[in-house]
Amino acid sequence: MIKKCMFPVAGYGTRFLPATKAMPKEMLPIVNKPLVQYGVEEALDAGLYEIAFVTGRGKRTINDHFDISYELEHQIAGTDKEQYLVGIRDIIDRAVFSTTRQREMKGLGHAILTGETLVGDEPFGVILADDLCFNEGGDSVMAQMVKVFRQVRCSIVAIEEVPEDQIHKFGCIDGEAVRDDLFRVTNMVEKPRKEEAPSNLAIIGRYILTPDIFDILRRTPPGKNGEIQITDALLQQARDGCVMAYRFKGQRFDCGSVDGFVEATNYCYEHLYKRGKL
Ligand code: UTP
């Protein structure tokens, strides 16, 4: 079954400048945890314990976060402050981390292709940590997708309905419904104008990909914004075989934008932190 999860974390995070000038966007905290830790927790919840980071320049603190900090451990050993490290210690014990670097930011598709060396010839999850997803009381979004993968055995993208005037920010799918939460993809467009969008079903930052995607990515020319788009490669994969789109249960916050980040912070503070769940 699937055990690997790729985290493309090489992006510049320009929407959060100047905060992201010397600090990765993925290390920005939502209450008391960096964004990327929520993503890794979701991967572990889904049984994906081999974590593969595709990083870039200035992202070293992501690796440091998932390593032991001896000075800190020594300093707080035996004090009541140790409780704050229980969660991250548990993650470090349960997961295995590997890293490669994307040298030039040529798009998400290019970042995923760069991660091939860490993933090899098996299906894998992809989590974009700036899409923060919660499904309180139920399976995490990646865990839901793993269950769907057991049934369909092909690449899956997570989707949600968005208002028509928002669709230009997303990859957009068209598809045939096979059940009310699952579509067989027939078309995909990256960041379409409202008039061009085939639906209001937007792709969010959760994928399960089969490894044939790498050969397709190698042949995919730069698309929108001159970047190698995973959406273009997935459309090819859908045409050659099958790609499914899964409407997940739960909610998503776009923490790559300031508004989404603040919403996520408020949600986590009210629903998780105040109830002792963070
Ligand atoms: P975004 O479109 O959010 O870009 O990338 P960004 O650089 O992170 O943020 P802004 O738009 O400048 O504020 C979506 C995801 O794809 C990764 C990013 O790290 C993010 O998780 N990505 C994007 C890469 O890893 N490499 C790329 O070349 C492009």
Side-chain angles (χ1 to χ4, degrees):
M1 266 321 285
I2 307 179
K3 55 182 194 289
K4 296 190 174 167
C5 191
M6 192 192 288
F7 285 76
V9 290
Y12 291 122
T14 51
R15 282 169 289 171
F16 273 91
L17 283 170
T20 47
K21 185 163 173 273
M23 181 174 80
K25 167 170 80 172
E26 297 76 14
M27 288 302 292
L28 293 173
I30 299 287
V31 188
N32 58 352
K33 272 198 283 196
L35 265 174
V36 66
Q37 184 174 334
Y38 290 90
V40 171
E41 286 172 356
E42 184 179 332
L44 284 170
D45 175 73
L48 280 50
Y49 62 91
E50 290 190 31
I51 307 297
F53 291 123
V54 179
T55 69
R57 277 178 294 282
K59 301 276 182 169
R60 258 188 42 201
T61 50
I62 296 176
N63 293 90
D64 290 343
H65 185 71
F66 294 103
D67 197 356
I68 292 172
S69 167
Y70 284 105
E71 296 85 348
L72 184 63
E73 297 273 346
H74 178 74
Q75 193 67 34
I76 66 173
T79 73
D80 58 2
K81 290 183 182 151
E82 269 191 294
Q83 59 175 311
Y84 300 123
L85 287 182
V86 169
I88 185 68
R89 276 182 187 158
D90 177 58
I91 292 173
I92 294 170
D93 285 345
R94 287 164 62 204
V96 180
F97 297 93
S98 60
T99 303
T100 190
R101 271 201 190 206
Q102 188 189 15
R103 286 195 300 271
E104 290 172 279
M105 303 315 130
K106 294 187 190 167
L108 179 57
H110 181 260
I112 291 173
L113 182 57
T114 305
E116 179 182 18
T117 176
L118 303 177
V119 164
D121 193 23
E122 51 188 278
F124 60 101
V126 176
I127 290 183
L128 304 186
D130 40 8
D131 267 345
L132 186 54
C133 295
F134 294 107
N135 184 30
E136 263 191 90
D139 284 340
S140 68
V141 175
M142 188 49 79
Q144 295 169 42
M145 292 174 76
V146 167
K147 280 188 183 162
V148 175
F149 181 78
R150 288 201 189 107
Q151 296 157 10
V152 299
R153 300 267 161 193
C154 65
S155 290
I156 306 167
V157 296
I159 51 165
E160 71 175 358
E161 281 182 40
V162 298
E164 275 177 14
D165 61 359
Q166 297 294 308
I167 196 73
H168 65 279
K169 298 180 184 167
F170 297 87
C172 173
I173 70 129
D174 199 3
E176 294 156 7
V178 295
R179 28 180 241 227
D180 65 348
D181 60 354
L182 196 59
F183 300 79
R184 191 185 172 107
V185 171
T186 53
N187 193 14
M188 273 186 181
V189 193
E190 182 60 27
K191 298 191 173 72
R193 285 187 295 147
K194 190 169 139 188
E195 315 76 68
E196 292 168 340
S199 74
N200 66 342
L201 298 174
I203 302 172
I204 65 121
R206 298 290 182 279
Y207 307 78
I208 288 179
L209 301 175
T210 53
D212 53 313
I213 197 74
F214 294 125
D215 274 338
I216 301 173
L217 278 168
R218 262 184 279 283
R219 298 194 304 267
T220 303
K224 201 125 213 171
N225 302 332
E227 297 184 334
I228 297 176
Q229 299 288 353
I230 188 64
T231 317
D232 294 340
L234 281 164
L235 177 58
Q236 192 56 48
Q237 199 179 36
R239 286 181 176 150
D240 294 348
C242 181
V243 171
M244 302 300 284
Y246 170 64
R247 184 162 33 197
F248 64 92
K249 294 177 191 65
Q251 52 187 314
R252 177 195 72 98
F253 297 95
D254 173 13
C255 294
S257 75
V258 172
D259 289 346
F261 189 91
V262 173
E263 275 172 41
T265 302
N266 290 336
Y267 175 90
C268 284
Y269 180 66
E270 289 298 331
H271 289 252
L272 303 176
Y273 185 78
K274 275 183 155 178
R275 296 179 192 171
K277 293 186 191 169
L278 263 187

